[in-house]
PDB file of all heavy atoms in Angstrom:
ATOM      1  N   ILE A 360     -22.578 -32.864 -78.022  1.00  0.00           N
ATOM      2  CA  ILE A 360     -22.942 -32.029 -79.172  1.00  0.00           C
ATOM      3  C   ILE A 360     -24.464 -31.862 -79.264  1.00  0.00           C
ATOM      4  O   ILE A 360     -24.961 -30.773 -79.594  1.00  0.00           O
ATOM      5  CB  ILE A 360     -22.362 -32.630 -80.463  1.00  0.00           C
ATOM      6  CG1 ILE A 360     -20.840 -32.471 -80.456  1.00  0.00           C
ATOM      7  CG2 ILE A 360     -22.953 -31.954 -81.698  1.00  0.00           C
ATOM      8  CD1 ILE A 360     -20.136 -33.081 -81.631  1.00  0.00           C
ATOM      9  N   SER A 361     -25.213 -32.915 -78.960  1.00  0.00           N
ATOM     10  CA  SER A 361     -26.679 -32.790 -78.946  1.00  0.00           C
ATOM     11  C   SER A 361     -27.116 -31.787 -77.886  1.00  0.00           C
ATOM     12  O   SER A 361     -28.022 -30.967 -78.115  1.00  0.00           O
ATOM     13  CB  SER A 361     -27.307 -34.157 -78.670  1.00  0.00           C
ATOM     14  OG  SER A 361     -26.970 -35.081 -79.684  1.00  0.00           O
ATOM     15  N   LEU A 362     -26.473 -31.840 -76.722  1.00  0.00           N
ATOM     16  CA  LEU A 362     -26.787 -30.906 -75.646  1.00  0.00           C
ATOM     17  C   LEU A 362     -26.365 -29.488 -76.017  1.00  0.00           C
ATOM     18  O   LEU A 362     -27.033 -28.508 -75.657  1.00  0.00           O
ATOM     19  CB  LEU A 362     -26.074 -31.366 -74.370  1.00  0.00           C
ATOM     20  CG  LEU A 362     -26.501 -30.747 -73.047  1.00  0.00           C
ATOM     21  CD1 LEU A 362     -27.994 -30.950 -72.805  1.00  0.00           C
ATOM     22  CD2 LEU A 362     -25.708 -31.357 -71.900  1.00  0.00           C
ATOM     23  N   LEU A 363     -25.283 -29.374 -76.761  1.00  0.00           N
ATOM     24  CA  LEU A 363     -24.811 -28.060 -77.200  1.00  0.00           C
ATOM     25  C   LEU A 363     -25.852 -27.378 -78.091  1.00  0.00           C
ATOM     26  O   LEU A 363     -26.142 -26.181 -77.917  1.00  0.00           O
ATOM     27  CB  LEU A 363     -23.492 -28.226 -77.955  1.00  0.00           C
ATOM     28  CG  LEU A 363     -22.824 -26.963 -78.472  1.00  0.00           C
ATOM     29  CD1 LEU A 363     -22.068 -26.256 -77.345  1.00  0.00           C
ATOM     30  CD2 LEU A 363     -21.855 -27.283 -79.602  1.00  0.00           C
ATOM     31  N   LYS A 364     -26.401 -28.104 -79.029  1.00  0.00           N
ATOM     32  CA  LYS A 364     -27.417 -27.528 -79.913  1.00  0.00           C
ATOM     33  C   LYS A 364     -28.693 -27.200 -79.149  1.00  0.00           C
ATOM     34  O   LYS A 364     -29.377 -26.214 -79.441  1.00  0.00           O
ATOM     35  CB  LYS A 364     -27.720 -28.510 -81.047  1.00  0.00           C
ATOM     36  CG  LYS A 364     -26.551 -28.698 -82.016  1.00  0.00           C
ATOM     37  CD  LYS A 364     -26.867 -29.720 -83.083  1.00  0.00           C
ATOM     38  CE  LYS A 364     -27.981 -29.252 -84.019  1.00  0.00           C
ATOM     39  NZ  LYS A 364     -27.581 -28.110 -84.841  1.00  0.00           N
ATOM     40  N   GLU A 365     -29.001 -28.001 -78.134  1.00  0.00           N
ATOM     41  CA  GLU A 365     -30.215 -27.759 -77.348  1.00  0.00           C
ATOM     42  C   GLU A 365     -30.086 -26.503 -76.496  1.00  0.00           C
ATOM     43  O   GLU A 365     -31.079 -25.827 -76.213  1.00  0.00           O
ATOM     44  CB  GLU A 365     -30.484 -28.976 -76.458  1.00  0.00           C
ATOM     45  CG  GLU A 365     -31.799 -28.922 -75.699  1.00  0.00           C
ATOM     46  CD  GLU A 365     -32.016 -30.157 -74.840  1.00  0.00           C
ATOM     47  OE1 GLU A 365     -31.217 -31.103 -74.936  1.00  0.00           O
ATOM     48  OE2 GLU A 365     -33.006 -30.162 -74.055  1.00  0.00           O
ATOM     49  N   MET A 366     -28.865 -26.167 -76.080  1.00  0.00           N
ATOM     50  CA  MET A 366     -28.643 -25.009 -75.207  1.00  0.00           C
ATOM     51  C   MET A 366     -28.666 -23.679 -75.957  1.00  0.00           C
ATOM     52  O   MET A 366     -28.744 -22.627 -75.329  1.00  0.00           O
ATOM     53  CB  MET A 366     -27.297 -25.150 -74.489  1.00  0.00           C
ATOM     54  CG  MET A 366     -27.281 -26.140 -73.368  1.00  0.00           C
ATOM     55  SD  MET A 366     -25.672 -26.160 -72.549  1.00  0.00           S
ATOM     56  CE  MET A 366     -26.021 -27.246 -71.163  1.00  0.00           C
ATOM     57  N   SER A 367     -28.581 -23.696 -77.269  1.00  0.00           N
ATOM     58  CA  SER A 367     -28.565 -22.454 -78.028  1.00  0.00           C
ATOM     59  C   SER A 367     -29.950 -21.819 -78.021  1.00  0.00           C
ATOM     60  O   SER A 367     -30.918 -22.393 -78.548  1.00  0.00           O
ATOM     61  CB  SER A 367     -28.116 -22.734 -79.467  1.00  0.00           C
ATOM     62  OG  SER A 367     -28.130 -21.564 -80.227  1.00  0.00           O
ATOM     63  N   SER A 368     -30.064 -20.635 -77.423  1.00  0.00           N
ATOM     64  CA  SER A 368     -31.372 -19.978 -77.311  1.00  0.00           C
ATOM     65  C   SER A 368     -31.290 -18.477 -77.553  1.00  0.00           C
ATOM     66  O   SER A 368     -32.155 -17.733 -77.106  1.00  0.00           O
ATOM     67  CB  SER A 368     -31.961 -20.239 -75.914  1.00  0.00           C
ATOM     68  OG  SER A 368     -31.106 -19.736 -74.908  1.00  0.00           O
TER      69      SER A 368
END
Side-chain angles (χ1 to χ4, degrees):
I360 290 177
S361 298
L362 194 57
L363 181 80
K364 292 177 66 67
E365 186 180 353
M366 285 183 173
S367 178
S368 60

